[in-house]
Amino acid sequence: MTDRPERPENSGNAVDGMFPVDEHFEEVVEGGQTVRHKGIYILPNLFTTGNLFCGFYAIISAQAGFYAAACIAVLVAMVLDGLDGRVARMTNTQSKFGEQYDSLADMVTFGVAPAMVAYSWALSDMGKVGWMVAFIYAACAALRLARFNAQIEETDSRYFTGLASPAAAALVIGMVWALSDFGIDGETTVLVSFLGALITAGAGILMVSNIQYQSFKKFDLRGRVHFIFLLVMVLGFAVVFTDPPRVLLLIFLAYACSGPVTAIMRMGRHDKKESTSD
């Protein structure tokens, strides 16, 4: 009988290293020393789990033909995605585990779900071209998230490099919601399928572009503002609720176009300065 190797301490293996059952350990640096913290934070990860659930629910709903429910689920996920990071910072519960979990949930909700919603709604009628467009969007979302994670400590927090994946998802599902609300889908006309492919592929390309977008991360919700600002917010909510699908689509489309328009204007000013200096 051969000697079995000694099991390392805190391995947490139930049967010969096959079933890890111990709690999650995370190494953090405190006072110049590496400290291992046991367990994970519940509160911010609950929001992330809600985000992931909404993405999964959107995929299932789109396959069943419930496009409005699928689009609303992605919009709810956008709210939850914005809250998990803020809650983690407010409660001082940031963690590497939370960052990775959030990124994986975003890939499902803002990468796979919008592609599947668009495919079920209109792209499936285009055959191979349709699923290729859907895959291009999903792949661009993965590349966008990977680049964001790799450059998170190097980029200016005031701007996003490329269209953020939640904004790209909002553009795609906004289109689906606005048109499917009138009973329009890929079976209605070829132009609808072409429009769906154009918007989906365009959103994917904007995600991996080098165009800068305002991140609005410097917007302080705790600061004091003029009373007029609150009045404008109330009027804004009223306008949105008059016709949510169409109004939200216009807002998402305006934000998606703001990056290229600003870049073109910046290039024009740069060329003008060079011409005057000559």
Side-chain angles (χ1 to χ4, degrees):
M1 185 173 74
T2 58
D3 294 333
R4 300 178 64 180
E6 247 183 356
R7 179 181 299 171
E9 292 184 7
N10 296 326
S11 64
N13 292 340
V15 182
D16 295 336
M18 293 176 60
F19 304 104
V21 297
D22 64 334
E23 296 179 88
H24 171 74
F25 284 90
E26 181 179 28
E27 293 186 352
V28 296
V29 178
E30 293 182 358
Q33 295 182 346
T34 301
V35 180
R36 299 185 75 197
H37 285 173
K38 184 166 66 173
I40 59 176
Y41 295 112
I42 289 294
L43 188 58
N45 290 314
L46 280 178
F47 286 95
T48 305
T49 303
N51 170 10
L52 179 60
F53 172 80
C54 288
F56 181 78
Y57 179 80
I59 296 173
I60 299 300
S61 297
Q63 290 180 336
F66 302 124
Y67 300 116
C71 295
I72 292 172
V74 176
L75 292 176
V76 173
M78 290 176 60
V79 177
L80 295 175
D81 182 59
L83 288 175
D84 60 2
R86 290 184 178 274
V87 169
R89 288 189 293 271
M90 290 174 61
T91 57
N92 196 27
T93 53
Q94 304 100 314
S95 67
K96 292 182 180 180
F97 174 87
E99 291 176 3
Q100 298 302 319
Y101 185 32
D102 179 67
S103 183
L104 293 171
D106 286 352
M107 180 57 209
V108 174
T109 305
F110 306 127
V112 178
M116 291 299 298
V117 172
Y119 180 79
S120 299
W121 173 68
L123 300 182
S124 59
D125 295 292
M126 301 180 71
K128 293 181 179 180
V129 175
W131 67 256
M132 284 177 62
V133 171
F135 172 74
I136 287 172
Y137 176 89
C140 288
L143 293 170
R144 169 69 177 81
L145 290 167
R147 182 175 66 177
F148 177 79
N149 291 340
Q151 299 177 350
I152 191 169
E153 297 179 357
E154 302 174 6
T155 56
D156 188 347
S157 61
R158 296 175 300 173
Y159 301 98
F160 290 128
T161 301
L163 185 63
S165 56
L171 178 60
V172 174
I173 63 100
M175 168 194 64
V176 175
W177 192 15
L179 295 179
S180 65
D181 197 45
F182 289 131
I184 301 173
D185 56 24
E187 297 180 355
T188 305
T189 175
V190 178
L191 291 176
V192 175
S193 297
F194 179 77
L195 176 64
L198 183 65
I199 296 295
T200 304
I205 292 171
L206 286 175
M207 278 193 286
V208 295
S209 69
N210 291 322
I211 298 173
Q212 288 189 326
Y213 285 87
Q214 285 283 345
S215 67
F216 302 107
K217 289 186 177 181
K218 295 299 181 181
F219 185 71
D220 187 8
L221 294 175
R222 295 173 295 181
R224 290 179 176 270
V225 296
H226 197 276
F227 175 77
I228 297 298
F229 182 79
L230 181 60
L231 181 60
V232 170
M233 289 182 60
V234 173
L235 292 175
F237 278 112
V239 171
V240 169
F241 281 101
T242 56
D243 191 0
R246 264 66 63 181
V247 174
L248 289 176
L249 174 60
L250 290 176
I251 293 174
F252 302 146
L253 187 60
Y255 180 72
C257 294
S258 66
V261 170
T262 303
I264 293 172
M265 293 175 60
R266 191 180 296 115
M267 290 174 59
R269 288 195 297 266
H270 180 70
D271 294 340
K272 188 176 180 179
K273 286 182 180 180
E274 286 188 346
S275 61
T276 55
S277 61
D278 292 340

